[in-house]
Amino acid sequence: MNILLIEDELRVADFVRRGLKAEGWVVEHAGDGETGLAIMQDRDFDVIILDLMLPGISGQQVCQKMRARANTTPVLMLTALDSTDERVAGLRVGADDYLPKPFDFDELIARIQALHRRMTGYGNEDSNGKYQHHGLIYDSAAMVLTVDGIVVDLSAKERELISILMASKNKALSRERILNSVWGTHEDPMTNVVDVYIGRLRKKLGPYGGLITTVRGAGYRFG
Amino acid sequence: MNILLIEDELRVADFVRRGLKAEGWVVEHAGDGETGLAIMQDRDFDVIILDLMLPGISGQQVCQKMRARANTTPVLMLTALDSTDERVAGLRVGADDYLPKPFDFDELIARIQALHRRMTGYGNEDSNGKYQHHGLIYDSAAMVLTVDGIVVDLSAKERELISILMASKNKALSRERILNSVWGTHEDPMTNVVDVYIGRLRKKLGPYGGLITTVRGAGYRFG
DNA sequence: AAGACCATGAACATCCTATTGATTGAAGAC
DNA sequence: GTCTTCAATCAATAGGATGTTCATGGTCTT
């Protein structure tokens, strides 16, 4: 599961990020609405967690803008106030659910899953968190990669990497974005970890290794 | 026996939770209907205890929705009012039994057992409270683990652990989640109790010990 | 052909997990 | 009330898996 968290308070953001990562999910964090909107255009997410109170443009505006761009990713709004007005306003601009702060962590997780399920259409429980491309299946719930029916062991970083790659099918991802998403670092552009891991993944994908294309001067693309 | 308790009043929830745990059952708690519905899709329960008065969607709606999803888990409804109307309405949306608050704890237990018995009486006997994976059978009603026909003694924690593991077959569970579910604690991430218990379980499972896979950097997975 | 960019293997450091034994705590027997 | 017993927890360690860097050689572009 790929999640975009738009939240300016670093303490909250860090707390949420940590917890969601423990669930095995990949979390991207944006400190304000503009950044969030920019990231959305580069990657597809399963759920967007959106704080209502943001510096610059408000959470509501973010929601409105992304909907205007025909982005239908489910949005879970966070707000400090438990006011019905805000809730209604949030839902009106296109949020899908709402959670008042402070919240219980389990509830956050449950709601994210509920949202995701609701949007992907429940009934087909099996398709949950599964990315498939021909004989290549990554089940993010089980954290298992299957290559032509054979289970392949992946390390934690490899799992996160293939997760964002497959979630961003047919989109080029820059090394910086991958670094930020998987390694959670903003600096240190002198490392080549991404390259190394892409190499390892390609090898583990066997016949499907070629699906990860190098976009020279830009990054990598899956699919 | 795995029980899902959907109840918003924390005092009641805590009271019930404690009591059912004392029976040796594993209790999962959801504070509202949405959360409850979400949890149901991740795990199979033997009985669902559902409060009628809930914030957000009502208990009746919860029941209706889960039945619409072809979930046939027996539901015991709790309500503050002893009104026939409510009872009828509850049964109409698919509840299996009904208990007015305040209730006697023994009665609650008796009804849960009755429900469970009734449901396992006709229909799919195997799927209720019994988890099976080849020669490995855990009967949560009898609290008995059988390995290739030989009964193996388990401690309370070991039972709860294998119970959630088998109920979450093929899903990776983080230590945090296991801790929360079996030990009921949110903090203290510096402990390694989970590791220790996983180790003990593996040993007791004998030839099936390998079914508990370590997902390095993430947690454990059964199946 | 030169420069930039990328792939890969190997070496090393680090982190994670399994396991063991000791300690604590609770329940029941006497 | 004390003792016994066993479950539950803690703490320490070793071993292995993973993460990271670096150096080298390959490939693409202009």
Side-chain angles (χ1 to χ4, degrees):
Chain A
M1 181 110 79
N2 281 275
I3 296 174
L4 173 60
L5 170 66
I6 308 180
E7 164 71 63
D8 60 314
E9 289 174 65
L10 285 183
R11 303 186 60 154
V12 178
D14 203 52
F15 170 67
V16 171
R17 178 179 206 146
R18 236 180 261 270
L20 298 185
K21 281 215 161 189
E23 287 294 307
W25 300 341
V26 181
V27 181
E28 187 82 21
H29 172 229
D32 63 80
E34 307 275 6
T35 311
L37 285 167
I39 295 177
M40 276 177 219
Q41 296 204 309
D42 279 349
R43 281 189 40 203
D44 292 328
F45 293 92
D46 296 299
V47 173
I48 295 172
I49 304 175
L50 179 59
D51 191 15
L52 207 60
M53 300 264 287
L54 289 172
I57 65 176
S58 76
Q60 288 169 339
Q61 287 174 296
V62 171
C63 204
Q64 221 156 17
K65 288 200 178 182
M66 61 174 281
R67 293 309 186 214
R69 289 186 200 161
N71 183 335
T72 58
T73 309
V75 169
L76 175 62
M77 273 210 172
L78 299 180
T79 173
L81 303 167
D82 188 11
S83 102
T84 312
D85 286 354
E86 279 202 337
R87 175 174 200 173
V88 169
L91 296 178
R92 187 171 297 146
V93 294
D96 300 286
D97 199 359
Y98 159 97
L99 192 59
K101 286 198 277 190
F103 48 81
D104 184 54
F105 206 87
D106 287 337
E107 185 168 5
L108 177 63
I109 288 174
R111 291 213 182 213
I112 291 170
Q113 288 177 327
L115 257 187
H116 183 231
R117 227 172 266 122
R118 202 195 298 163
M119 293 301 136
T120 51
Y122 43 75
N124 50 343
E125 179 144 352
D126 279 352
S127 76
N128 246 300
K130 280 191 182 174
Y131 302 104
Q132 178 163 16
H133 196 281
H134 302 116
L136 187 69
I137 305 172
Y138 180 64
D139 181 338
S140 61
M143 297 194 193
V144 169
L145 175 74
T146 319
V147 177
D148 286 334
I150 298 159
V151 172
V152 175
D153 275 330
L154 294 184
S155 78
K157 290 274 193 291
E158 289 164 353
R159 286 194 301 262
E160 295 199 24
L161 182 55
I162 199 166
S163 187
I164 64 161
L165 281 173
M166 292 188 83
S168 309
K169 197 145 101 173
N170 293 322
K171 287 188 180 172
L173 296 175
S174 70
R175 286 180 176 70
E176 286 74 20
R177 198 162 279 313
I178 294 174
L179 253 184
N180 183 33
S181 196
V182 177
W183 279 263
T185 172
H186 277 279
E187 53 239 293
D188 195 4
M190 290 313 291
T191 177
N192 74 331
V193 257
V194 178
D195 300 55
V196 172
Y197 270 79
I198 289 281
R200 289 186 184 170
L201 251 188
R202 279 182 175 145
K203 200 168 288 177
K204 292 199 176 180
L205 295 190
Y208 299 99
L211 283 175
I212 303 177
T213 318
T214 304
V215 185
R216 205 148 217 274
Y220 298 95
R221 170 165 37 82
F222 176 88
Chain B
M1 180 113 80
N2 278 280
I3 296 175
L4 174 60
L5 171 65
I6 308 179
E7 165 69 64
D8 61 313
E9 289 175 66
L10 286 182
R11 303 185 60 153
V12 178
D14 202 52
F15 169 67
V16 172
R17 177 179 208 147
R18 241 179 256 271
L20 298 185
K21 281 214 163 190
E23 286 294 307
W25 300 340
V26 180
V27 182
E28 190 79 22
H29 172 231
D32 64 79
E34 306 273 6
T35 310
L37 285 166
I39 295 176
M40 275 177 219
Q41 297 211 314
D42 273 352
R43 291 200 15 217
D44 292 329
F45 293 92
D46 298 298
V47 172
I48 294 171
I49 304 175
L50 179 59
D51 191 15
L52 207 58
M53 299 264 287
L54 290 171
I57 65 176
S58 76
Q60 287 168 338
Q61 287 174 295
V62 171
C63 203
Q64 219 157 17
K65 288 200 179 182
M66 60 175 281
R67 294 308 187 214
R69 291 185 198 161
N71 184 335
T72 59
T73 310
V75 168
L76 176 61
M77 273 209 173
L78 300 180
T79 172
L81 303 166
D82 187 11
S83 102
T84 312
D85 286 354
E86 279 202 338
R87 174 173 200 174
V88 169
L91 296 177
R92 186 172 296 145
V93 294
D96 300 284
D97 199 359
Y98 160 96
L99 193 60
K101 285 199 278 191
F103 48 81
D104 184 52
F105 205 87
D106 289 337
E107 185 171 7
L108 176 63
I109 288 175
R111 291 214 184 212
I112 291 170
Q113 288 175 327
L115 257 187
H116 187 230
R117 220 177 292 120
R118 200 200 300 166
M119 291 302 133
T120 51
Y122 47 84
N124 45 349
E125 184 139 356
D126 275 356
S127 72
N128 260 309
K130 278 192 185 175
Y131 303 105
Q132 178 163 14
H133 197 282
H134 302 117
L136 185 70
I137 304 171
Y138 180 63
D139 182 338
S140 58
M143 293 196 216
V144 170
L145 176 74
T146 319
V147 177
D148 286 335
I150 299 159
V151 173
V152 175
D153 275 330
L154 294 183
S155 76
K157 293 274 193 254
E158 288 165 353
R159 283 194 301 266
E160 294 200 23
L161 181 55
I162 199 167
S163 191
I164 65 158
L165 280 174
M166 293 188 84
S168 309
K169 194 148 105 176
N170 288 323
K171 286 188 180 167
L173 297 176
S174 69
R175 281 163 227 278
E176 286 81 1
R177 188 165 276 283
I178 295 174
L179 255 184
N180 184 31
S181 205
V182 176
W183 279 263
T185 174
H186 272 282
E187 53 238 296
D188 196 2
M190 292 310 292
T191 177
N192 73 333
V193 258
V194 178
D195 300 55
V196 172
Y197 270 78
I198 290 280
R200 289 188 188 164
L201 251 187
R202 279 184 175 143
K203 203 167 286 176
K204 293 199 176 179
L205 295 189
Y208 299 100
L211 283 176
I212 302 176
T213 316
T214 303
V215 185
R216 207 147 216 277
Y220 298 94
R221 168 165 35 83
F222 177 88

